[in-house]
Amino acid sequence: MFPLRNYATCVLLFLLVLSDFSVSQSQSPCAAKKKRMREKVRNMFYHAYDNYMTYAFPHDELKPLTKSFTNSLSELGNLKLEHLPQDYNGSALTLIESLSSLLIMGNNTEFERAVLWLSENLTFDVDARINLFECNIRVLGGLVSAHLLASDSSKKLFQGSYKNQLLVLAEDLGNRFLPAFNTPTGLPYAWINLKYGVMENETTETSTSGCGSLILEMGALSKMTGDPIYESVALRALRKLWSMQSSLELFGTTLDIATGQWIEYSSGIGAGVDSFYEYLLKAHILFGKEDFWKMFHSAYVAVQKYFKHGPWYHDADMRTGRATYWQLTSLQAFWPGLQVLIGDVIAANSSHREFFHVWKRFGVLPERYLLDHQMLHPTEKYYPLRPELAESTFYLYQATKDPWYIEVGESIVNSLNLYTKVEGGFASVKDVTTMQLEDHQHSFFLAEMCKYLYLLFDDSFVHENNYVFTTEGHPLPVQSSWHDELPEAYIPNNWTSLKRRSTVNGISAMSLQVCPATNLKSGQHIESACHIPDARSNYRCLTDEDCGVDATTCRRRTCSMAGYCGLWLII
């Protein structure tokens, strides 16, 4: 058995493969396949990267069908620049997004060249209206991650001469974000001009993800610069958003940052809210604050209770919990990966298999699939090379070492090469029924898709350190110096022994804040993460308060007239 960890770092046991285990893996029957698939993914990455550098650099993204470019950072959300300078050459978005992928694939030389180019040429002093959320996760996240990797002496980059150039750029960008938070509620504007701040008559509508998914990148920037302002404004926005939850502990999708009122009450785990849940958990891991864990724990239980239907998750009204839309969206496919990090592996596997079933049916994962009608959404039949299924496949393989996930990864790689690879890169799919292509290679194809597939087949990068991957796939190392509040069992070298305490059989891995594997020594049974045991082991009760939450349905158990806890109100 591996040594036990406190929750904040034990989740990364799924990402750490010890050397002795790696040796045994090298002798396994699937080792040759993994090596072959690793090289396939490497070739995919460089086909996309080289074509970007040839036809689109230093602009933002590649248009692979016409071998041209788009400055998409200022066009995200289908909103165009208002005052784009004629000599504006873009932000080299795809290059920034590719930095950590270059290192993971062992190309230190190209990483160093890219860092030097960015330090000498990139500027954010441009009259450009950008989406705060997208610029945060893509550009700030890419710069912060790459700076931390470049500063890691063990990687022996720049012959020890790196001078924090990326941190300087990140701090400049972070400062340009700050005017967006100057609102009555502390919730930030969704759009901001990099040169002039918030423009006159700017929209006050934003998404839950847009104001609740900033804490990793801006928190890390504060830790690195010593200036608390970035973490402070992101945390204030997060706490304000948290205060807006319904009595069911659910959240809507869109809101008004000026009034602090919800605009769209229907919500799920997909677009507009997905990374909000993700960042609650990952902020706890990265910064060690117990508040983040408490928020995630209650939010997760509410999601499992009101959104989950078998292996699927539908949308529901935050006020009533009633289902609104029965649909699968491609962005939901991140959820099984998040469940792995809290030890709810059985539930993660169940949902993941359903997503993969849809992938196999269409060859790729459509943007939206109507579960109640078992048909594609009539207008959202596209596939923009989204990486979430590959991400969850990587996490599940790390957690289980089930070779079936290697087969899933191989299927994803083969589909991408068959349907989306063109001479000029990899193109998005406009219609999954015809496989008609669209002229866009999103930067996240290099930042996430190729990275997670590569790590699925070769996880040597995560042997070196504990990492939290942002919602854009940028790795941030877990450092004890960033933990303001450490769990009881924490010790400096990151390894822990659980404090001995009496626990009720059936308690969840989530409530214990431990990896599910850690209790195998004692033979203790670990239930689903939403499970809360009854107060008494014999299930007797006096009131409903003596009853817990059912492990299978995530419904609250109630006390019967005979004095026993059960799902008596469920027909």
Side-chain angles (χ1 to χ4, degrees):
M1 292 295 293
F2 298 151
L4 310 184
R5 290 182 180 225
N6 62 73
Y7 180 76
T9 53
C10 92
V11 293
L12 292 152
L13 277 173
F14 296 128
L15 308 182
L16 267 176
V17 183
L18 300 183
S19 58
D20 57 340
F21 190 79
S22 299
V23 171
S24 64
Q25 281 293 95
S26 67
Q27 300 168 353
S28 68
C30 70
K33 172 179 281 190
K34 289 170 66 177
K35 184 176 180 180
R36 184 177 72 253
M37 295 307 302
R38 178 194 67 188
E39 294 311 306
K40 270 194 172 185
V41 176
R42 189 196 302 273
N43 290 337
M44 287 170 58
F45 173 82
Y46 283 111
H47 182 69
Y49 180 81
D50 291 344
N51 274 288
Y52 164 74
M53 295 301 291
T54 300
Y55 300 111
F57 176 76
H59 297 273
D60 289 350
E61 292 180 319
L62 171 68
K63 299 176 75 173
L65 299 180
T66 56
K67 297 180 180 178
S68 56
F69 61 83
T70 174
N71 285 317
S72 57
L73 182 62
S74 305
E75 301 168 354
L76 297 169
N78 298 318
L79 294 176
K80 306 295 183 181
L81 275 174
E82 294 176 340
H83 311 289
L84 183 63
Q86 291 185 351
D87 60 349
Y88 179 59
N89 288 325
S91 66
L93 174 62
T94 298
L95 181 64
I96 295 171
E97 290 257 72
S98 301
L99 290 173
S100 59
S101 297
L102 287 168
L103 269 189
I104 286 172
M105 296 187 192
N107 197 337
N108 293 7
T109 301
E110 185 66 12
F111 175 85
E112 291 177 355
R113 286 179 53 197
V115 169
L116 291 176
W117 187 92
L118 291 168
S119 65
E120 294 171 0
N121 296 277
L122 183 61
T123 177
F124 297 117
D125 190 27
V126 291
D127 186 4
R129 179 175 177 263
I130 54 93
N131 182 278
L132 177 68
F133 167 74
E134 295 288 353
C135 196
N136 174 70
I137 65 172
R138 297 190 186 199
V139 183
L140 183 60
L143 293 173
V144 165
S145 172
H147 164 71
L148 289 165
L149 294 172
S151 304
D152 185 347
S153 59
S154 68
K155 300 191 184 305
K156 301 178 181 178
L157 297 166
F158 301 97
Q159 297 181 335
S161 62
Y162 175 67
K163 294 180 170 56
N164 298 331
Q165 300 99 310
L166 296 180
L167 180 57
V168 172
L169 288 168
E171 188 171 14
D172 178 38
L173 182 59
N175 287 331
R176 295 175 189 275
F177 286 174
L178 295 179
F181 294 86
N182 187 21
T183 65
T185 61
L187 298 168
Y189 283 93
W191 295 85
I192 189 168
N193 186 290
L194 287 177
K195 193 178 186 72
Y196 299 111
V198 178
M199 303 301 289
E200 188 176 357
N201 299 320
E202 185 58 83
T203 178
T204 57
E205 182 176 335
T206 190
S207 67
T208 302
S209 290
C211 55
S213 308
L214 305 167
I215 188 62
L216 289 189
E217 295 83 0
M218 297 193 72
L221 183 59
S222 279
K223 299 298 184 185
M224 294 185 303
T225 61
D227 189 340
I229 185 61
Y230 314 109
E231 181 179 20
S232 177
V233 295
L235 191 55
R236 181 189 175 204
L238 181 60
R239 285 176 172 159
K240 173 59 181 177
L241 184 64
W242 184 256
S243 73
M244 294 168 60
Q245 65 181 315
S246 71
S247 60
L248 305 180
E249 298 183 314
L250 296 176
F251 298 82
T253 305
T254 57
L255 58 141
D256 189 298
I257 57 99
T259 64
Q261 299 297 312
W262 291 105
I263 298 172
E264 175 55 62
Y265 294 98
S266 179
S267 180
I269 59 169
V273 71
D274 48 354
S275 54
F276 164 67
Y277 293 114
E278 179 184 3
Y279 273 33
L280 289 178
L281 175 61
K282 291 183 175 180
H284 169 63
I285 299 169
L286 191 62
F287 302 123
K289 291 181 185 291
E290 198 68 13
D291 285 352
F292 292 131
W293 169 256
K294 291 177 181 176
M295 287 191 283
F296 175 78
H297 183 239
S298 63
Y300 182 80
V301 170
V303 165
Q304 295 296 93
K305 181 176 181 180
Y306 294 106
F307 297 161
K308 193 174 189 295
H309 183 80
W312 299 111
Y313 290 83
H314 58 71
D315 290 5
D317 190 306
M318 63 176 286
R319 299 164 296 185
T320 65
R322 293 175 181 168
T324 52
Y325 303 107
W326 294 81
Q327 59 188 3
L328 169 154
T329 65
S330 59
L331 286 170
Q332 292 175 346
F334 90 99
W335 190 255
L338 190 66
Q339 290 182 303
V340 168
L341 291 181
I342 58 167
D344 209 354
V345 178
I346 294 176
N349 172 67
S350 175
S351 294
H352 175 273
R353 286 179 181 267
E354 296 298 329
F355 281 111
F356 183 59
H357 175 74
V358 176
W359 177 286
K360 292 289 286 184
R361 177 178 173 183
F362 294 102
V364 292
L365 197 60
E367 187 71 0
R368 197 175 298 271
Y369 182 80
L370 304 179
L371 296 171
D372 47 352
H373 298 292
Q374 291 293 296
M375 62 176 284
L376 288 169
H377 189 281
T379 61
E380 297 187 47
K381 298 185 286 185
Y382 53 88
Y383 171 65
L385 305 175
R386 292 205 188 277
E388 283 74 17
L389 182 60
E391 175 185 1
S392 287
T393 304
F394 159 67
Y395 280 109
L396 275 161
Y397 180 67
Q398 289 296 319
T400 66
K401 296 303 177 185
D402 185 340
W404 183 79
Y405 295 109
I406 298 297
E407 302 297 324
V408 172
E410 182 178 24
S411 179
I412 293 173
V413 169
N414 290 341
S415 290
L416 291 171
N417 280 303
L418 177 63
Y419 298 120
T420 72
K421 185 178 180 181
V422 296
E423 184 181 358
F426 285 84
S428 301
V429 177
K430 188 174 184 179
D431 186 334
V432 301
T433 62
T434 64
M435 288 301 173
Q436 178 186 358
L437 297 178
E438 188 174 9
D439 198 12
H440 200 166
Q441 177 183 286
H442 290 274
S443 62
F444 53 68
F445 182 76
L446 293 100
E448 296 182 82
M449 177 65 86
C450 291
K451 178 181 290 150
Y452 285 124
L453 288 173
Y454 188 89
L455 288 171
L456 173 64
F457 303 120
D458 182 350
D459 54 13
S460 56
F461 174 78
V462 294
H463 295 182
E464 306 165 7
N465 209 332
N466 296 327
Y467 293 99
V468 167
F469 288 89
T470 71
T471 196
E472 195 70 7
H474 299 304
L476 301 175
V478 178
Q479 306 180 60
S480 60
S481 60
W482 286 12
H483 282 213
D484 296 330
E485 299 173 16
L486 299 175
E488 269 187 2
Y490 188 84
I491 57 176
N493 65 1
N494 282 350
W495 293 98
T496 68
S497 295
L498 286 176
K499 186 176 180 180
R500 295 289 179 186
R501 54 177 171 173
S502 59
T503 56
V504 180
N505 285 338
I507 197 166
S508 73
M510 191 172 179
S511 60
L512 264 179
Q513 297 193 26
V514 297
C515 292
T518 59
N519 280 294
L520 295 179
K521 269 186 177 178
S522 60
Q524 184 181 13
H525 181 59
I526 294 295
E527 295 282 3
S528 169
C530 65
H531 179 228
I532 298 176
D534 298 330
R536 298 176 179 85
S537 59
N538 61 1
Y539 313 116
R540 294 302 301 266
C541 57
L542 298 175
T543 68
D544 288 348
E545 294 300 316
D546 296 329
C547 302
V549 175
D550 184 72
T552 303
T553 65
C554 293
R555 301 283 181 181
R556 183 80 195 185
R557 289 155 63 84
T558 57
C559 189
S560 70
M561 293 180 65
Y564 285 90
C565 292
L567 295 177
W568 308 117
L569 300 181
I570 303 299
I571 306 297

